[in-house]
Amino acid sequence: MKHPIEKFNQAQADLLAKLPEDQRSEQARLLRIGNAAYCYYQEAGQQDLPLTRSDFNDWLDGLPSGIRDDMEKRGFEACQNMLPFKRHVLERRDFGMGEWMKNHLSQDDYKFWQQQS
């Protein structure tokens, strides 16, 4: 998947052109996956997404204790702009990243992304 902003497409093409041939394929895959994730969050940002304290508490419950403690200290208001919290809420609202990535990546790229997640 290409980046939706042309200047970033050009920068990525320039990067790939400068790499040794044996590194291009893997780097191109990482860029496609990164571009797809960027698009997911851009589209997700356009969703009417009310964030609630219930969402926040549910998210906290799933975090490892050290991270949970830090996020609790930061508080609900401060965490509203954090991508992991937003992704949690999106998943709860059936706008899941997994299905979105599956629909926007090739089968090979999707399998690779799943293995890395």
Side-chain angles (χ1 to χ4, degrees), residues 52-88:
T52 68
R53 290 202 180 270
S54 175
D55 293 325
F56 183 64
N57 291 332
D58 185 66
W59 177 62
L60 290 174
D61 288 343
L63 296 176
S65 62
I67 296 171
R68 180 179 53 244
D69 293 345
D70 185 44
M71 296 302 114
E72 281 180 312
K73 287 177 189 170
R74 291 175 189 234
F76 173 66
E77 298 296 325
C79 291
Q80 287 186 22
N81 291 320
M82 294 184 167
L83 289 180
F85 178 44
K86 286 184 178 182
R87 181 172 176 195
H88 172 81

Side-chain angles (χ1 to χ4, degrees), residues 16-35:
L16 292 173
K18 292 176 184 175
L19 287 175
E21 185 69 35
D22 64 337
Q23 295 177 14
R24 287 183 193 160
S25 177
E26 183 175 347
Q27 184 62 47
R29 176 189 301 236
L30 294 173
L31 291 171
R32 289 189 303 271
I33 291 169
N35 292 343

Side-chain angles (χ1 to χ4, degrees), residues 98-116:
E99 190 66 25
W100 197 94
M101 295 293 271
K102 183 178 182 180
N103 292 330
H104 290 84
L105 292 172
S106 70
Q107 283 184 342
D108 288 341
D109 286 353
Y110 177 70
K111 287 178 186 175
F112 180 84
W113 177 75
Q114 278 188 307
Q115 292 168 352
Q116 304 306 307

